[in-house]
Amino acid sequence: EDQVTQSPEALRLQEGESSSLNCSYTVSGLRGLFWYRQDPGKGPEFLFTLYSAGEEKEKERLKATLTKKESFLHITAPKPEDSATYLCAVQAAGANSKLTFGKGITLSVRP
Amino acid sequence: KAGVTQTPRYLIKTRGQQVTLSCSPISGHRSVSWYQQTPGQGLQFLFEYFSETQRNKGNFPGRFSGRQFSNSRSEMNVSTLELGDSALYLCASSVWTGTGHEQYFGPGTRLTVT
């Protein structure tokens, strides 16, 4: 069974204090690893899809990386508006569009 | 391009009733998936439809069902509602871009069962 574990559950940062969010996974053939951002009361917002170990993608202050067992979401010099829950999900080969999600990491950035 | 839309946004129902939720995917997207999100279990996959056919199903009881129409719009139905069905129900539409897979979520329908 596909599994996704995210750590830590919650993270509090000072504005400008860079950090990384971890996503560990086990999947029967990875087709893609997805990162989403979710604000309270809203649907998840698509950030990145990574497909193979060694791949990296960037968007503003966010950079996602992928290895064969885990993915990291690096946040450089975060701002208060980066506060949200960050979700990681895997798509297994042969699973069509089904995503298996982790429980998410709640990030709070203090001014 | 308009995003994924879901109606209604909020719903309050009583135990034993049934409910139908609607989802309109992004134009051109033929795959629609449904997820249930609760504080305890997080996001859990319900089912996926592609070209009006269900091609994947999660581990939910038969009270949860869905369908997709020829215009790709989708509905999900929950019969004989239970208190535990209270959740945020999210719809996502997917597309293969040629270089990768992208899946976008709607704002969700907040269902409260009393």
Side-chain angles (χ1 to χ4, degrees):
Chain A
E1 186 178 326
D2 304 331
Q3 285 192 318
V4 178
T5 303
Q6 293 188 250
S7 61
E9 288 187 16
L11 183 63
R12 297 186 68 184
L13 299 174
Q14 198 69 34
E15 184 173 1
E17 179 187 2
S18 301
S19 188
S20 295
L21 311 181
N22 176 263
C23 170
S24 300
Y25 65 90
T26 55
V27 63
S28 52
L30 181 70
R31 187 177 177 193
L33 184 139
F34 293 68
W35 281 99
Y36 288 88
R37 168 194 171 127
Q38 187 174 27
D39 293 300
K42 297 189 176 182
E45 174 190 346
F46 173 77
L47 294 174
F48 309 106
T49 309
L50 303 170
Y51 298 96
S52 57
E55 187 175 3
E56 298 182 352
K57 287 191 176 177
E58 288 187 69
K59 179 179 180 180
E60 297 180 353
R61 295 177 293 281
L62 300 176
K63 178 180 177 181
T65 62
L66 181 65
T67 73
K68 289 188 176 180
K69 293 183 178 180
E70 55 192 350
S71 176
F72 293 93
L73 185 65
H74 308 277
I75 302 178
T76 301
K79 299 181 177 182
E81 53 262 41
D82 294 323
S83 297
T85 295
Y86 290 85
L87 297 162
C88 170
V90 295
Q91 182 184 33
N96 297 313
S97 296
K98 173 187 175 182
L99 298 182
T100 299
F101 280 85
K103 293 291 180 68
I105 297 171
T106 300
L107 173 66
S108 298
V109 181
R110 302 187 300 273
Chain B
K1 190 181 260 191
V4 178
T5 58
Q6 293 187 244
T7 56
R9 293 293 314 279
Y10 303 92
L11 208 47
I12 300 175
K13 290 286 188 179
T14 304
R15 272 182 304 175
Q17 289 185 314
Q18 76 166 21
V19 66
T20 299
L21 313 181
S22 181
C23 170
S24 292
I26 294 171
S27 177
H29 290 197
R30 294 164 61 190
S31 170
V32 174
S33 299
W34 289 88
Y35 294 82
Q36 181 195 66
Q37 186 174 31
T38 59
Q41 299 298 319
L43 269 144
Q44 293 186 291
F45 175 79
L46 281 158
F47 29 65
E48 179 205 355
Y49 286 87
F50 182 85
S51 293
E52 301 179 67
T53 301
Q54 186 184 89
R55 65 177 185 179
N56 213 337
K57 190 177 189 306
N59 297 324
F60 279 82
R63 300 185 296 107
F64 292 81
S65 64
R67 60 177 176 168
Q68 186 181 33
F69 302 96
S70 58
N71 61 357
S72 293
R73 190 176 70 85
S74 177
E75 290 181 347
M76 68 163 281
N77 184 275
V78 188
S79 63
T80 318
L81 284 166
E82 300 177 0
L83 294 179
D85 296 333
S86 295
L88 181 66
Y89 289 88
L90 293 159
C91 167
S93 75
S94 308
V95 67
W96 174 257
T97 65
T99 57
H101 185 98
E102 296 179 355
Q103 187 162 149
Y104 298 93
F105 283 83
T109 294
R110 172 72 62 184
L111 172 65
T112 301
V113 182
T114 62

